[in-house]
């Protein structure tokens, strides 16, 4: 039985342990100031799908031949003639087998896609959640071609037909948007996440040629700065993969035709221009790079792919950064260094912007909690939304680079699990250990 003296120590220790729990979690449990914000988050903005008119007559179809689509939420007030276009992400296919499999999923067919899409983060219509772009015309372009909206060919073999028409899909959507008021655009912001972020590198300057002469345009890649880097065994897994995307079955994808001519003239291999680090120097339109220095997609599939870790030595580290060994952290710091080195030339650009944080995440602009919320990630006390808005409206051209992991305590470490992304708070694992200690203490004192 616990005596009065021991009980005092137990209470004291419990308070000490609870008091060191991350403040962000305490706020989420009991801070009344966030109650209205949480209610608004629960009232999700669902935007219906729009199929592109006359797309098939233009040959603009998904991998399976279904029509392309987008979701549009109309602007109003001061944003009536401003447009934000967001490329959807979702990886790539690099051979006929993987593209055929993709064509039978939501990644290759609008027939299998959700017909309603949640608009949050940079797509939100709430000024408290998206202060700079909430009243713009906001459009999400659905991704169904497997090559970042970059191909223009097809494959036929008996009854098997695959359409690699990403470029035509992009063109057809823009033609459709012209009839929706894009011809009157005053400000344009082209963005995208992951493979959609990579698509912005391919189409940023192209879009600049389509907008009205008096309109302004800027572009942003969110988690689309895929590095040409070897994995932990020295093999360049991603280089071989991207080569397959670009050169699919004797260049079936047609991506090469859409890579910047000036980039192609300076690279040894054409597929290298599919890597943003090689194409970015030749983009003339003002550009913003939003990326994590420890991007979890690149960490899991490029830097430490399953083929490089057959015995699963990295499994615990992948699921929770707090479980990484010292050697593993040092290796990840090397990946961060390579990313910053690839961006060094861009860092000196006059009209470019950057937000490179040290969170284990992938795609941060469409997720409300990482874009703009009371507990959003920050670099130098600025949220992603604040830095992007300051850059776009030229209130302050900023290039924010975070300190190395684990110094940033504002991170939302979003680690993919078998059932999809999950938030992994590094502090939470520490707290679990403290709870275990508390339980053991009670058992000892009983």
């Amino acid at each position: 039985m616990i005596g009065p003296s021991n009980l005092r120590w137990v209470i004291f220790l419990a308070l000490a342990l609870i008091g060191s729990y991350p403040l962000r979690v305490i706020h989420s449990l009991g801070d009344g100031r966030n109650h209205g914000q949480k209610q608004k988050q629960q009232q999700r903005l669902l935007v219906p799908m729009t199929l592109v008119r006359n797309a098939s007559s233009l040959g603009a179809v998904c991998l399976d031949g279904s029509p392309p689509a987008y979701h549009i939420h109309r602007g109003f007030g001061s944003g009536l003639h401003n447009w934000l276009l967001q490329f959807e992400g979702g990886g790539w296919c690099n051979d006929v087998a993987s593209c055929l499999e993709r064509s039978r999923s939501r990644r290759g067919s609008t027939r299998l896609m959700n017909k309603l899409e949640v608009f949050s983060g940079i797509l939100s219509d709430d000024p408290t959640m998206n202060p700079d772009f909430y009243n713009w015309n906001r459009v999400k372009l659905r991704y169904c071609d497997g090559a970042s909206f970059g191909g223009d060919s097809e494959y036929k073999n008996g009854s098997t037909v695959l359409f690699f028409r990403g470029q035509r899909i992009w063109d057809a959507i823009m033609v459709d948007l012209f009839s929706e008021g894009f011809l009157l655009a005053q400000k344009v912001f082209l963005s995208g996440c992951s493979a959609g972020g990579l698509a912005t590198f391919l189409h940023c300057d192209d879009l600049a040629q389509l907008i009205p002469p008096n309109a302004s345009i800027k572009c942003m890649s969110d988690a689309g700065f895929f590095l040409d880097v070897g994995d932990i065994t020295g093999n360049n897994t991603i280089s071989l993969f991207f080569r397959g995307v670009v050169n699919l079955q004797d260049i079936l994808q047609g991506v090469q035709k859409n890579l910047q001519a000036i980039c192609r003239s300076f690279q040894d291999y054409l597929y290298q221009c599919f890597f943003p680090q090689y194409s970015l120097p030749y983009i003339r339109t003002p550009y913003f790079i939003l990326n994590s220095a420890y991007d979890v997609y690149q960490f899991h599939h490029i830097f430490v792919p399953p083929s490089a870790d057959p015995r699963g030595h990295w499994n615990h580290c992948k699921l929770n950064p707090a479980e990484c060994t010292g050697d593993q952290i040092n290796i990840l710091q090397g990946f961060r260094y390579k990313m910053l080195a690839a961006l060094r030339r861009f860092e000196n650009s006059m009209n470019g912007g950057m937000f490179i944080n040290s969170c284990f995440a992938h795609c941060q602009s469409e997720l409300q909690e990482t874009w703009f919320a009371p507990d959003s990630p920050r670099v130098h006390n600025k949220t992603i939304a604040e830095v992007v808005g300051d850059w776009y409206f030229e209130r302050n051209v900023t290039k924010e680079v975070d300190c190395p992991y684990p110094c940033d305590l504002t991170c939302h470490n979003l680690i993919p699990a078998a059932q999809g992304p999950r938030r992994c708070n590094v502090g939470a694992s520490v707290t679990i250990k403290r709870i275990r200690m508390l339980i053991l203490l009670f058992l000892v004192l009983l």
Side-chain angles (χ1 to χ4, degrees):
M1 191 169 180
I2 303 177
S5 176
N6 287 339
L7 182 60
R8 283 198 299 270
W9 281 107
V10 169
I11 293 172
F12 176 80
L13 181 57
L15 290 173
L17 292 170
I18 294 171
S20 58
Y21 197 88
L23 290 177
R24 180 167 63 249
V25 178
I26 290 177
H27 286 168
S28 69
L29 292 174
D31 191 340
R33 292 173 297 175
N34 293 342
H35 181 65
Q37 178 85 0
K38 288 163 70 176
Q39 279 188 328
K40 289 179 180 179
Q41 288 177 346
Q42 292 168 0
Q43 298 171 358
R44 300 186 302 170
L45 174 61
L46 296 173
V47 180
M49 174 185 286
T50 299
L51 295 176
V52 178
R53 292 164 286 192
N54 303 317
S56 58
S57 64
L58 301 173
V61 292
C62 298
L63 283 170
D64 72 330
S66 59
Y70 60 89
H71 302 253
I72 180 170
H73 196 258
R74 299 287 182 175
F76 57 92
S78 60
L80 185 62
H81 298 300
N82 299 335
W83 290 77
L84 189 152
L85 310 181
Q86 180 87 353
F87 284 119
E88 183 182 29
W92 311 268
C93 56
N94 67 332
D95 56 33
V96 170
S98 61
C99 290
L100 183 61
E101 180 181 1
R102 189 181 181 94
S103 72
R104 296 165 179 164
S105 74
R106 66 184 181 90
R107 296 299 186 192
S109 174
T110 52
R111 298 187 184 100
L112 302 174
M113 290 180 180
N114 294 331
K115 302 306 184 283
L116 293 174
E117 190 72 6
V118 177
F119 272 30
S120 63
I122 197 172
L123 297 174
S124 172
D125 66 341
D126 189 329
T128 66
M129 299 182 181
N130 187 25
D132 284 311
F133 307 106
Y134 71 96
N135 63 349
W136 286 34
N137 297 284
R138 299 168 324 284
V139 184
K140 185 165 186 177
L141 287 64
R142 300 307 298 268
Y143 178 38
C144 64
D145 68 280
S148 291
F149 295 83
D152 187 13
S153 190
E154 65 183 68
Y155 170 84
K156 291 183 179 179
N157 184 6
S159 60
T160 301
V161 181
L162 291 170
F163 299 93
F164 304 114
R165 298 287 176 77
Q167 178 66 42
R168 295 196 196 190
I169 289 173
W170 163 246
D171 293 339
I173 290 177
M174 290 313 303
V175 168
D176 217 46
L177 292 180
F178 287 150
S179 65
E180 298 291 339
F182 188 81
L183 280 172
L184 301 176
Q186 296 174 356
K187 289 184 173 65
V188 177
F189 193 11
L190 180 66
S191 182
C193 154
S194 191
L198 193 150
T200 64
F201 292 96
L202 299 179
H203 296 294
C204 183
D205 281 347
D206 289 343
L207 183 58
Q209 304 301 314
L210 299 177
I211 64 174
N214 60 340
S216 63
I217 177 174
K218 296 185 179 183
C219 303
M220 179 176 77
S221 166
D222 175 11
F225 197 78
F226 294 94
L227 282 180
D228 183 9
V229 63
D231 62 33
I232 56 172
T233 66
N235 294 322
N236 200 321
T237 306
I238 187 62
S239 181
L240 293 173
F241 184 88
F242 274 180
R243 182 182 302 192
V245 174
V246 175
N247 297 330
L248 175 58
Q249 296 293 315
D250 296 326
I251 321 176
L252 283 179
Q253 285 264 28
V255 174
Q256 288 188 11
K257 294 180 290 186
N258 299 309
L259 300 177
Q260 297 147 312
I262 189 169
C263 176
R264 290 185 300 179
S265 66
F266 281 96
Q267 297 304 319
D268 294 332
Y269 303 99
L270 296 182
Y271 77 88
Q272 289 179 312
C273 294
F274 205 62
F275 282 102
Q277 67 198 79
Y278 303 127
S279 61
L280 181 60
Y282 306 109
I283 295 176
R284 300 180 299 276
T285 307
Y287 215 95
F288 192 97
I289 303 294
L290 167 59
N291 229 95
S292 165
Y294 308 94
D295 182 281
V296 291
Y297 182 89
Q298 298 198 57
F299 170 20
H300 292 187
H301 299 283
I302 296 175
F303 199 49
V304 191
S307 61
D309 183 33
R311 296 187 177 181
H313 295 306
W314 284 78
N315 287 353
H316 291 294
C317 179
K318 285 182 175 182
L319 290 175
N320 185 355
E323 300 296 329
C324 297
T325 66
D327 288 343
Q328 288 171 333
I329 290 295
N330 288 336
I331 292 172
L332 291 175
Q333 302 298 17
F335 178 76
R336 173 183 179 271
Y337 174 81
K338 290 175 182 178
M339 177 169 287
L340 295 181
L343 286 167
R344 191 163 294 138
R345 179 177 173 183
F346 177 74
E347 195 170 2
N348 297 322
S349 66
M350 296 296 294
N351 58 8
M354 285 198 316
F355 189 100
I356 309 295
N357 61 7
S358 295
C359 306
F360 285 79
H362 182 69
C363 291
Q364 301 179 86
S365 63
E366 287 188 44
L367 188 63
Q368 194 61 55
E369 65 179 335
T370 50
W371 173 249
F372 190 69
D375 62 346
S376 287
R378 284 168 165 77
V379 176
H380 301 138
N381 204 32
K382 295 179 181 178
T383 64
I384 295 170
E386 289 170 322
V387 174
V388 172
D390 285 349
W391 167 79
Y392 188 93
F393 293 100
E394 299 178 3
R395 298 187 292 252
N396 185 17
V397 178
T398 54
K399 298 182 177 69
E400 301 290 354
V401 178
D402 209 351
C403 50
Y405 174 84
C407 71
D408 189 342
L409 301 180
T410 70
C411 280
H412 293 190
N413 291 309
L414 303 169
I415 310 298
Q419 284 76 32
R422 66 185 178 98
R423 175 168 163 175
C424 178
N425 190 329
V426 174
S429 65
V430 178
T431 303
I432 290 170
K433 293 176 182 177
R434 290 169 180 156
I435 292 172
R436 288 173 180 165
M437 289 171 57
L438 184 59
I439 293 171
L440 287 172
L441 181 62
F442 270 108
L443 292 174
V444 169
L445 296 175
L446 283 175

